[in-house]
């Protein structure tokens, strides 16, 4: 079956999602909504960086898209103060939504219940489904699947290791700043805001009641001055960041998400390294009986932004058919059929 879909936002992750929609054999792009006036009037192919024009032009007005009654809309407009309003508008129109803009809605039971009620009411009005998806299967489905081969569980740890270098990442992670300065991404409460809902989702599936969250971080200084795509990093300034957020059960960490960020692969060699010699990747560790460890190498090493955003973008797009067919209401990846790369097999070329 072919699905008529829309796309909302054309930021970095949005462009990745837009390309995936254009190249999906079961998806027909109906419209693109953008927030940057400089992108208005551009063909979707130009925004996505693909070759052949689609004839679908970006617009700031979502009305024409919603008037076409798409089956579902991919929404990546994070950071907007109109996120909930926009999502409700889409849902009320009858279109399903997949979004990464509301991190808390990964686990609706612990999210702001006023927002939950608004979204549920919009779903009921439009007969539509809404999925707020996390970063990717490495941080929810893979740990849960691996836990199914356990006799006893003592804890789960999910580690993401990346080599960063874009300007926005440098600022967020405090790279190039004083080694004693606390970077924005680890200010008190921010890691829990980013990862807490995903930890709660896993805990619910494993019937683990959580008491609280714990956050820790450490910094690595640059051993000498060096240049990055985002500018020069001075000797002794921050060049690496490792932080963790843990869900606690009876005061003990039981589900932990860890992020290791470096500006160079050789920094902080005592920290977790990416698997298989790649610049980025994930590790899922199950402590218990028996213990398990799963390593996943990250893709797109030439562009340090790819591993952290591509998995999210592709997961959203590949979820569009499932959301279009889902019962009305709020969903998680655990309430939908498996989100797979169905129909993504590339045709052989001669």
């Amino acid at each position: 079956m072919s699905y008529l879909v829309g796309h909302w936002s054309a930021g970095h992750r949005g462009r990745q999602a837009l390309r995936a929609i254009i190249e999906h054999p079961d998806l027909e792009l109906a419209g693109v909504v953008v927030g940057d006036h400089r992108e208005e009037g551009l063909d979707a192919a130009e925004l996505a960086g693909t070759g052949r024009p689609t004839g679908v032009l970006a617009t700031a007005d979502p009305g024409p898209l919603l008037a076409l009654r798409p089956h579902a809309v991919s929404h990546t407009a994070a950071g907007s103060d109109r996120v909930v309003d926009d999502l409700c508008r889409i849902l009320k129109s009858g279109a399903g939504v997949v979004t990464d803009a509301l991190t808390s809605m990964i686990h609706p039971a612990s999210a702001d219940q006023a927002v939950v009620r608004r979204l549920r009411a919009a779903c009921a009005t439009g007969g539509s489904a809404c999925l707020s998806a996390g970063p990717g299967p490495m941080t929810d489905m893979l740990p849960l699947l691996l836990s199914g081969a356990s006799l006893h569980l003592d804890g789960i740890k999910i580690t993401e290791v990346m080599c960063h270098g874009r300007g926005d990442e440098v600022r967020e992670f405090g790279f190039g700043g004083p080694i004693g300065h606390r970077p924005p991404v680890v200010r008190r409460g921010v890691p829990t805001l980013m990862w807490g809902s995903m930890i709660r989702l896993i805990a619910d599936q494993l019937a683990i009641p959580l008491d609280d969250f714990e956050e820790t971080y450490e910094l690595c200084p640059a051993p000498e001055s060096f240049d990055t795509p985002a500018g020069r990093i001075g000797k002794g300034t921050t060049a690496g960041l490792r932080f963790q957020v843990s869900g606690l059960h009876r005061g003990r960490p039981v589900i932990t998400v860890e992020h290791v960020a470096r500006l160079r692969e050789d920094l902080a060699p005592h920290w977790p390294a990416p698997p298989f010699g790649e610049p980025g990747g994930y590790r899922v560790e199950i402590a218990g009986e028996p213990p398990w460890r799963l390593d996943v190498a990250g893709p797109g090493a030439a562009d340090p932004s790819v591993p952290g955003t591509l998995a999210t973008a592709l997961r959203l797009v590949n979820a569009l058919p499932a959301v279009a067919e889902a019962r009305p209401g709020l969903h998680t990846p655990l309430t939908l059929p498996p989100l797979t790369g169905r129909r993504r097999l590339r045709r052989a070329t001669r």
Side-chain angles (χ1 to χ4, degrees):
M1 176 178 175
S2 180
Y3 297 90
L4 187 67
V5 302
H7 180 66
W8 197 300
S9 177
H12 183 68
R13 184 156 49 236
R15 290 170 186 263
Q16 294 171 330
L18 185 55
R19 176 188 172 187
I21 290 173
I22 293 171
E23 297 183 357
H24 197 297
D26 287 342
L27 302 180
E28 178 185 351
L29 183 64
V32 178
V33 178
V34 294
D36 187 338
H37 67 87
R38 294 170 296 182
E39 296 171 341
E40 291 185 69
L42 297 181
D43 190 282
E46 186 174 355
L47 288 172
T50 59
R52 184 180 302 173
T54 65
V56 177
L57 303 183
T59 176
D61 180 10
L65 166 63
L66 299 182
L68 294 174
R69 303 299 301 270
H71 294 98
V73 173
S74 164
H75 179 279
T76 59
S80 169
D81 56 3
R82 290 185 48 82
V83 166
V84 178
D85 291 340
D86 290 340
L87 292 178
C88 287
R89 180 175 180 180
I90 300 169
L91 293 167
K92 287 178 181 178
S93 77
V97 170
V98 294
T99 183
D100 65 350
L102 285 180
T103 305
S104 63
M105 294 304 298
I106 293 172
H107 184 250
S110 62
D112 184 333
Q113 291 306 294
V115 174
V116 170
R117 287 191 292 270
R118 285 190 63 191
L119 292 173
R120 281 183 173 151
C123 289
T125 298
S128 50
C130 180
L131 169 67
S132 290
M138 283 72 72
T139 53
D140 49 37
M141 295 305 299
L142 290 188
L144 287 171
L145 289 172
L146 199 58
S147 75
S150 297
L151 178 64
H152 299 291
L153 287 172
D154 294 321
I156 294 176
K157 185 177 181 180
I158 306 153
T159 301
E160 180 182 36
V161 185
M162 298 296 169
C163 192
H164 296 265
R166 290 191 304 144
D168 56 344
E169 295 168 336
V170 166
R171 291 187 294 271
E172 182 181 7
F173 289 97
F175 294 146
I179 197 67
H181 175 72
R182 190 168 190 157
V185 74
V186 291
R187 288 174 184 163
R188 198 174 309 278
V190 172
T192 299
L193 183 65
M194 293 169 55
W195 300 103
S197 55
M198 188 194 69
I199 291 174
R200 289 189 184 277
L201 182 68
I202 295 173
D204 272 4
Q205 291 300 307
L206 299 178
I208 300 174
L210 297 181
D211 311 321
D212 204 350
F213 287 91
E214 179 181 74
E215 302 172 357
T216 62
Y217 77 96
E218 55 182 308
L219 304 174
C220 167
E224 70 277 325
S225 297
F226 60 93
D227 293 317
T228 73
R232 189 162 183 81
I233 302 298
K235 179 180 179 180
T237 64
T238 300
L241 169 65
R242 179 186 186 183
F243 68 88
Q244 297 181 348
V245 55
S246 300
L248 306 181
H249 173 66
R250 297 181 178 177
R252 179 174 67 89
V254 289
I255 304 172
T256 297
V257 175
E258 176 180 56
H259 187 92
V260 178
R262 297 178 173 92
L263 281 176
R264 275 190 348 211
E265 296 170 43
D266 63 317
L267 298 174
H270 57 293
W271 290 356
F276 312 116
E278 296 291 342
Y282 296 83
R283 172 169 291 166
V284 178
E285 298 172 276
I286 306 285
E289 184 183 352
W292 295 103
R293 190 180 86 183
L294 173 67
D295 285 348
V296 181
D303 181 352
S305 67
V306 167
T309 62
L310 185 60
T312 302
L314 296 182
R315 193 182 205 197
L316 292 175
V317 172
N318 289 329
L320 284 167
V323 169
E325 299 283 356
R327 59 175 173 76
L330 302 181
H331 288 271
T332 74
L334 304 172
T335 63
L336 294 172
L339 306 179
T340 69
R342 177 179 169 82
R343 299 267 289 154
R344 286 293 195 179
L345 181 64
R346 197 197 311 263
R347 291 182 178 181
T349 57
R350 294 183 180 180

